[in-house]
Amino acid sequence: MPVLMYHSVNARPLRATRRLAVDPGAFADQMALLADRGFTPVPVSTLADRPGRLPARPVVITFDDGYADFHERALPVLDGLGFAATVFVTTGWLADAGTQAAGAPLDRMLSWPQVREAAAHGIEIGGHSHSHPQLDQLPDAALDDELTRNKGLLEDRLDRPVTTMAYPYGYSSARVRRAAARAGYTSACAVANRLPRDEHVLALPRLTVRQGMDLGTFARLVEGDGVLRTYAFDRVLTKGYAVVRRLRYAVRQAGS
């Protein structure tokens, strides 16, 4: 079952989001392909809550960060097809975060009314931390605060439980996953760029959909063909950087 990771859906993205932005026309074509091939999108939480009741051809569509173009360009396409999706929101980045503003947004962000509107249209809202830090590098108290503040704000504003999240940058560790569970999350997404196998529900792998991916490549990926070849370089970098990050955290802890 493919779990797709999107960020911005924008024909003219800023430099900071360009590599992971998808043209709106390409996004519409990708969603149409899923519909034509009989895929049924399900929210992330379904994988944890109802794994035995998935449709015949499930796919998961996720969006990280909470960019304003989700509301402007992606939501109408999803709504028109009756597709479910999950948007992971960085609460401190929201356009109207006010006194809760934190971190450095990379582009125009959703507002609270837009988040609520997406939820009203059947989009699952998940957490993405409060200020979008590298969670695996934070000390325990700061890590817990990032997760609980994000979750608490979302649940308060949406008046519904928020049970799923995605790790900023895809960075996690066993310690971060324990913190996610402690905060009350029952599922969480990493990146990994491969199809799910028997992963723990707090470390679900996703496939990155990025700028320039042609429709043929997209079709092969969702059908499970060529995943290793497409993401070979990404996977090498990810494994190497994971080692560096573990060492960096260990050095920081030894010096504290």
Side-chain angles (χ1 to χ4, degrees):
M1 175 180 56
V3 183
L4 305 175
M5 181 181 71
Y6 290 90
H7 286 75
S8 175
V9 180
N10 195 335
R12 294 184 177 85
L14 298 179
R15 182 185 299 273
T17 59
R18 188 172 300 160
R19 188 175 66 88
L20 293 174
V22 174
D23 182 85
F27 176 75
D29 289 344
Q30 290 163 2
M31 296 302 101
L33 183 144
L34 294 178
D36 290 344
R37 298 202 177 190
F39 283 95
T40 300
V42 298
V44 172
S45 62
T46 300
L47 304 184
D49 300 340
R50 300 189 298 277
R53 290 191 285 168
L54 294 174
R57 301 205 79 193
V59 63
V60 181
I61 306 167
T62 70
F63 298 81
D64 282 12
D65 301 338
Y67 295 108
D69 55 51
F70 171 80
H71 182 268
E72 298 160 356
R73 300 183 180 95
L75 182 57
V77 174
L78 296 168
D79 202 35
L81 292 169
F83 275 8
T86 301
V87 177
F88 297 113
V89 174
T90 306
T91 44
W93 282 12
L94 290 174
D96 52 354
T99 58
Q100 295 287 346
L106 302 179
D107 205 334
R108 294 183 306 112
M109 307 306 295
L110 292 169
S111 65
W112 278 114
Q114 289 172 334
V115 172
R116 287 193 291 268
E117 183 180 345
H121 280 253
I123 300 299
E124 178 176 59
I125 304 299
H128 200 45
S129 80
H130 184 63
S131 67
H132 206 276
Q134 299 177 17
L135 294 176
D136 62 338
Q137 300 300 300
L138 296 180
D140 290 345
L143 170 60
D144 287 340
D145 181 67
E146 279 286 338
L147 297 177
T148 57
R149 184 185 304 193
N150 178 236
K151 190 173 190 290
L153 285 169
L154 289 171
E155 291 182 333
D156 181 63
R157 295 297 189 100
L158 297 174
D159 194 27
R160 65 182 67 185
V162 173
T163 62
T164 190
M165 67 162 291
Y167 306 110
Y169 310 102
Y171 301 152
S172 71
S173 63
R175 182 179 67 93
V176 173
R177 293 189 287 275
R178 288 193 297 270
R182 194 162 57 243
Y185 288 110
T186 57
S187 59
C189 288
V191 181
N193 284 313
R194 57 181 173 78
L195 297 172
R197 294 193 290 267
D198 296 319
E199 275 75 25
H200 192 281
V201 289
L202 289 172
L204 296 169
R206 294 183 289 173
L207 303 174
T208 305
V209 185
R210 56 169 62 100
Q211 186 182 57
M213 179 178 285
D214 62 77
L215 193 60
T217 298
F218 180 84
R220 289 191 294 274
L221 292 176
V222 297
E223 296 288 0
D225 180 29
V227 172
L228 292 179
R229 181 173 62 255
T230 300
Y231 296 109
F233 185 64
D234 301 77
R235 289 164 62 87
V236 170
L237 285 180
T238 298
K239 289 180 179 179
Y241 199 39
V243 174
V244 172
R245 300 183 65 74
R246 285 195 295 269
L247 290 172
R248 183 181 297 167
Y249 178 75
V251 169
R252 185 176 290 119
Q253 287 298 103
S256 62

